[in-house]
Amino acid sequence: MSKVKTINLLLYEGDLDGVISIEDTSWNSGELYAAPRDSIKQLIESDACKGYGVYILFSQDKVYVGQASDLTKRISQHTIGKDWWTNVIVLTTKDDSFNRADIDYLEYYLIEKAQSIKEIECDNKKKGNDPKVSKFRVVALQQYLEEALFLMKLIGVSVFDENAGKIKKKIVKKQGQLINTMDKKSLLRAGKRVKAEAKEYVLESGIDLCKDISYAVKQTNKDVFWINPKVELLEKDWSLILNNNTDMELIVLKVPANTFNAGLTKDGNLVIRKDKPQYLDVNINANTFVDITSGVDFSKYIVNRISYR
C-alpha cells in the first residue's frame, strides 16, 4: 500500500502566483517556500529566510542553486547581481535544525543534479563545498531531498526533472516560427514576468517608449504598483508600464529626465531604499497614481491607457 501523506499549502497572496509555503506529514520539520521575483519583498517578510537553508533561482531555461545561513541577505543580493531569474524556491526547516554541513550537502547535490540536465543551463560554475556529513546524516538529507523534489514537481517546478527542457514551455511550429501557445492577452492577464510582452503590446498600439522602461503589475489584493527602479533612471527619459490586470489595462507613463530628485526622506523626492541605496522604493496607488511612499503624483505623466480585453 502506498504511503499516505497530508500536504499543507499556504498561499500568502491568495493564489499560486504569489508566495507559497508547503509542508507535508512525511517531511518532519522540512518546509518549502516558492515565490516569483516580484514577490521577493513578501517572501523575505515571511518565515522563509529566518534560518539556514538552500535557495534555487530559476527561469524557464536557467537555474542557480545557493545556500546561506542568512537567506534574506543572500537572496536580496541576487535581485541585483542576477537579472535573468523569475522565481525562487527556498528549502529550509521550521525549527532551524540545519547546520552548515547540512546545507553544504544539499547545495552540492542539487548543483550536481542541475548540471546533469542538459536541456536547462546551470548558472553554477562550481559544485559548491565538498559535503562532510556522516553516513547516517546522508540518509536523513536524502530523504529530505526526495520529499523536496516531489513537492517542487507538485507545484509545477520542473528544473530538476530530466524532461524539464521538453515541458518547460508548450510551443508549436507554424510557418517556420516558434509560437507560444498562450496568446499575448492571456499572458498580460497573468500579469507577472511579462515585461517583454507588455512592451511589445504598447509598441504595437503605436505608442513610443523611452529606452529605459520599468514594468509593474498591480499587487494581488492591493491597489498598488510596486516598482524598484535604479536611482540613475531619474537622469534619463523614463517610461513606466503599469499593468492593471484586474481591469485588463496597460497604463503608459513617460517621465522626462531630471524631473525628480531622490532622497532618504520625502520632501518632493522619490524615496531611496535604505537597504539598497541604488534603488528607489516606489508604490503607486492604482486609483490615484500617487506614490504612497513619497507623495509624488504620477498621474500627470500618463500618456495612454490601453485595454487588452
Side-chain angles (χ1 to χ4, degrees):
M1 181 178 174
S2 299
K3 181 169 63 175
V4 178
K5 63 176 71 181
T6 299
I7 295 172
N8 296 320
L9 186 68
L10 177 62
L11 308 178
Y12 280 70
E13 298 172 51
D15 57 43
L16 291 169
D17 290 328
V19 178
I20 301 171
S21 174
I22 306 178
E23 306 169 5
D24 81 44
T25 52
S26 302
W27 210 18
N28 297 321
S29 64
E31 196 166 27
L32 180 152
Y33 288 82
R37 186 182 183 120
D38 50 9
S39 291
I40 286 301
K41 183 178 179 182
Q42 292 91 324
L43 177 73
I44 289 172
E45 289 172 352
S46 73
D47 293 330
C49 302
K50 295 189 182 302
Y52 279 68
V54 172
Y55 61 91
I56 302 150
L57 310 176
F58 64 97
S59 64
Q60 289 186 341
D61 52 14
K62 200 169 184 178
V63 62
Y64 176 86
V65 181
Q67 50 104 326
S69 58
D70 187 345
L71 288 163
T72 296
K73 180 179 178 181
R74 196 74 185 103
I75 293 172
S76 296
Q77 288 172 341
H78 288 312
T79 62
I80 302 170
K82 296 181 184 295
D83 60 4
W84 53 264
W85 60 276
T86 58
N87 295 76
V88 61
I89 294 284
V90 172
L91 301 176
T92 186
T93 55
K94 296 192 290 286
D95 55 1
D96 195 19
S97 54
F98 281 153
N99 57 34
R100 176 64 65 184
D102 291 338
I103 58 176
D104 279 350
Y105 181 89
L106 296 174
E107 179 193 44
Y108 188 94
Y109 176 91
L110 289 170
I111 291 174
E112 190 174 62
K113 189 165 182 64
Q115 290 177 340
S116 71
I117 299 173
K118 303 303 180 186
E119 290 87 354
I120 290 182
E121 179 186 352
C122 181
D123 199 44
N124 293 89
K125 308 309 176 190
K126 299 179 181 179
K127 286 191 175 180
N129 301 324
D130 290 332
K132 297 176 181 177
V133 293
S134 72
K135 59 186 178 182
F136 303 102
R137 190 59 180 157
V138 166
V139 173
L141 292 172
Q142 279 295 325
Q143 290 173 343
Y144 178 96
L145 283 165
E146 181 181 348
E147 199 62 34
L149 291 169
F150 166 76
L151 292 174
M152 280 189 263
K153 192 172 182 179
L154 181 70
I155 59 173
V157 178
S158 57
V159 291
F160 296 108
D161 192 315
E162 296 295 336
N163 296 314
K166 299 172 185 176
I167 65 174
K168 65 183 179 182
K169 198 175 184 181
K170 291 183 178 180
I171 52 176
V172 294
K173 275 195 170 181
K174 183 178 182 181
Q175 297 177 352
Q177 293 182 324
L178 292 175
I179 308 297
N180 190 331
T181 56
M182 183 178 282
D183 63 68
K184 202 172 300 178
K185 288 186 177 182
S186 297
L187 287 168
L188 291 173
R189 279 193 290 274
K192 299 182 179 182
R193 304 177 292 283
V194 290
K195 178 179 178 179
E197 287 79 5
K199 175 183 173 182
E200 188 177 351
Y201 200 86
V202 170
L203 292 173
E204 286 174 353
S205 300
I207 300 165
D208 293 328
L209 292 168
C210 303
K211 181 180 178 181
D212 294 286
I213 303 167
S214 294
Y215 169 82
V217 64
K218 187 163 72 73
Q219 296 285 293
T220 306
N221 300 324
K222 297 178 183 178
D223 287 336
V224 173
F225 299 102
W226 180 50
I227 316 168
N228 278 170
K230 289 186 176 181
V231 173
E232 64 190 37
L233 277 185
L234 300 183
E235 299 174 359
K236 307 172 184 179
D237 291 334
W238 173 35
S239 288
L240 294 86
I241 302 175
L242 307 179
N243 183 356
N244 185 334
N245 60 345
T246 303
D247 296 339
M248 298 180 196
E249 180 182 52
L250 297 177
I251 301 101
V252 184
L253 300 85
K254 284 187 183 178
V255 180
N258 301 310
T259 298
F260 299 121
N261 295 316
L264 291 172
T265 58
K266 299 179 180 180
D267 300 324
N269 296 319
L270 293 181
V271 178
I272 293 173
R273 289 182 60 166
K274 293 180 181 178
D275 58 334
K276 299 174 189 174
Q278 66 272 50
Y279 287 87
L280 298 166
D281 186 14
V282 179
N283 294 269
I284 300 176
N285 183 288
N287 300 308
T288 64
F289 299 97
V290 171
D291 175 21
I292 298 168
T293 312
S294 67
V296 168
D297 185 356
F298 276 87
S299 65
K300 63 186 74 173
Y301 303 103
I302 296 174
V303 296
N304 220 307
R305 302 172 78 125
I306 308 164
S307 173
Y308 56 85
R309 290 182 181 276

